[in-house]
Structure formats: structure tokens, C-alpha cells
Amino acid sequence: QVRLVQSGGGLVQPGGSLRLSCAASGFTLSGYTMTWYRQAPGKERELVATITSAGGSTVYADSVKGRFTASRDNAKNTVYLQMNSLKPEDTAVYHCNARFFTGTYYWGQGTQVTVSS
């Protein structure tokens, strides 16, 4: 089975932190560009962060710059999204996406992040 299995997420107070994980099952993430997306109820999916296969280049949405950090560990076949200084507007379902240079791509199952007092 070819899957991206996500973990982490949950309920956190404003200003708190969470770390999301995205682990590949049935394939290797080496050579894949990884992107984190999120979607809140009633809103369209938005790009949060992208990290290259080498991990040397990252891009972030303006709304999360300075607060979120994307990273990867190809040896563990896993990518991460460290989220700090969380705000209520960060509340959403977060999905990871893996894309190979050929255009092949996979989606994680998503995980809920809720930021509320």
C-alpha cells in the first residue's frame, strides 16, 4: 500500500505549539518535494509550506512565516511541520503532499489542528 500517514495535531491554546508528522508507507520520500496544505471549514485549501527533497530550500505562506518550520528526515522517511505561536486562525485540517519529479504525487489522510482557549 502506498500511503502518507500523518500524526500529531489536536487541541492547543493560542500561543501554544504542535508538531505534525508525515511518514511514507510503501514508498520512499527521497526525491520528493513535500508540501503542507491546510483547509478550514468553508474555506479553500491553502499552501502552508514547501520543502525540497534535499531539505535545503523552504517556502512559507506569509501567514505562517516566522512561526512554522518545515523539515524532513529522509532516513526516517518522514517530514515534519513544527507550529509555534499558534493562532485561532490556524485552525484547520492539515494535509501533507509528496510529489516526485515525474509528477507522481500522494496525499496524507489529514489531521485536525484546533487552536482555542
Side-chain angles (χ1 to χ4, degrees):
Q1 293 290 324
V2 176
R3 295 175 178 175
L4 285 173
V5 181
Q6 297 182 226
S7 61
L11 176 64
V12 65
Q13 294 183 346
S17 298
L18 287 173
R19 189 193 195 198
L20 305 182
S21 298
C22 180
S25 177
F27 73 105
T28 178
L29 289 180
S30 179
Y32 284 78
T33 294
M34 300 299 301
T35 300
W36 290 95
Y37 295 88
R38 67 185 182 187
Q39 187 169 21
K43 298 182 179 180
E44 64 183 23
R45 181 185 296 118
E46 67 172 326
L47 186 149
V48 177
T50 294
I51 183 169
T52 62
S53 59
S57 180
T58 55
V59 295
Y60 299 92
D62 289 341
S63 59
V64 306
K65 286 181 180 178
R67 300 189 299 119
F68 290 11
T69 303
S71 62
R72 66 190 302 151
D73 188 339
N74 286 338
K76 295 183 178 180
N77 221 20
T78 302
V79 296
Y80 307 94
L81 184 66
Q82 179 67 45
M83 305 183 294
N84 300 324
S85 302
L86 283 162
K87 305 174 181 179
E89 50 263 45
D90 295 318
T91 297
V93 175
Y94 286 71
H95 294 263
C96 61
N97 171 277
R99 186 170 69 176
F100 202 46
F101 73 93
T102 61
T104 301
Y105 64 93
Y106 307 99
W107 285 96
Q109 85 278 14
T111 186
Q112 177 71 44
V113 172
T114 301
V115 185
S116 179
S117 299

